[in-house]
Amino acid sequence: MPIPAPFVSRPMDIEKDWIDYNGHLNMAYYNVLFDRCSDDAFEMMGMGPNYAKDRRLTIYTAEVHVCYVQELHLEHKVTVSFQLIDHDDKRLRVYQEIRHVDDWLAATSESLSLHVDMSGPKVAPFPADVLARIEAMRAAHAALPMPERAGRSIGIKARRA
């Protein structure tokens, strides 16, 4: 089966309970959308719910950097992309975008995830079968350009007196 590059979620609706008192999608629910797409991509790499249940291995998020680009509202429908931009034997670095179905950018996320043995819990290497699937996705995504918004940091530029 060919691996999509990048992986793109099914279209998703914004739920009524996710709208905050400002009338737009609350910041926490952007992460729910990113997470739903990640879950599908992790499943493709062999790390879905059954992986946690049967093998007692899973993925924990260690770090996330979200950029909110354009507001989302209740009537909007979105897709979320997942690009595996790096990995080693225990970690995944992923870049994601939430796009309105009309293709405008709503938000980006860059994350570092850890592979965890739930018996500890402790960080552990990926099993060979899962690592092979990760490497296949990374190879498929290697042809994609490095996202312009990846690797951003937070800071305030000093003002000159």
Side-chain angles (χ1 to χ4, degrees):
M1 160 174 92
I3 298 170
F7 176 86
V8 178
S9 74
R10 70 197 183 291
M12 294 185 263
D13 293 317
I14 304 303
E15 297 183 19
K16 184 173 138 286
D17 292 341
W18 297 355
I19 302 301
D20 65 19
Y21 57 82
N22 294 312
H24 60 244
L25 184 63
N26 179 276
M27 63 182 280
Y29 295 101
Y30 286 81
N31 286 306
V32 170
L33 293 166
F34 286 127
D35 196 49
R36 287 181 176 176
C37 176
S38 293
D39 283 347
D40 291 344
F42 291 151
E43 179 77 39
M44 180 177 277
M45 291 183 281
M47 297 181 285
N50 289 336
Y51 184 66
K53 181 182 169 215
D54 299 338
R55 295 174 78 171
R56 304 294 297 150
L57 299 167
T58 193
I59 293 291
Y60 283 9
T61 301
E63 184 174 344
V64 178
H65 184 151
V66 176
C67 293
Y68 304 94
V69 179
Q70 190 165 336
E71 291 180 4
L72 288 170
H73 299 276
L74 181 60
E75 69 278 5
H76 291 155
K77 188 177 281 289
V78 300
T79 59
V80 183
S81 63
F82 178 103
Q83 181 178 346
L84 181 58
I85 56 178
D86 200 4
H87 77 282
D88 64 16
D89 67 332
K90 299 177 185 177
R91 299 175 296 180
L92 303 172
R93 180 179 169 207
V94 172
Y95 175 81
Q96 294 183 271
E97 292 183 343
I98 297 175
R99 289 191 170 272
H100 186 276
V101 291
D102 290 339
D103 203 39
W104 49 263
L105 182 65
T108 65
S109 175
E110 187 172 358
S111 62
L112 180 68
S113 298
L114 307 174
H115 184 253
V116 173
D117 178 339
M118 297 167 71
S119 68
K122 61 183 178 246
V123 178
F126 296 105
D129 62 316
V130 171
L131 185 57
R133 288 174 146 191
I134 291 168
E135 289 171 345
M137 182 174 281
R138 178 66 189 114
H141 292 191
L144 297 170
M146 178 60 78
E148 181 181 324
R149 297 182 71 94
R152 295 172 63 105
S153 63
I154 297 173
I156 298 173
K157 293 181 182 179
R159 296 183 193 193
R160 294 184 184 182

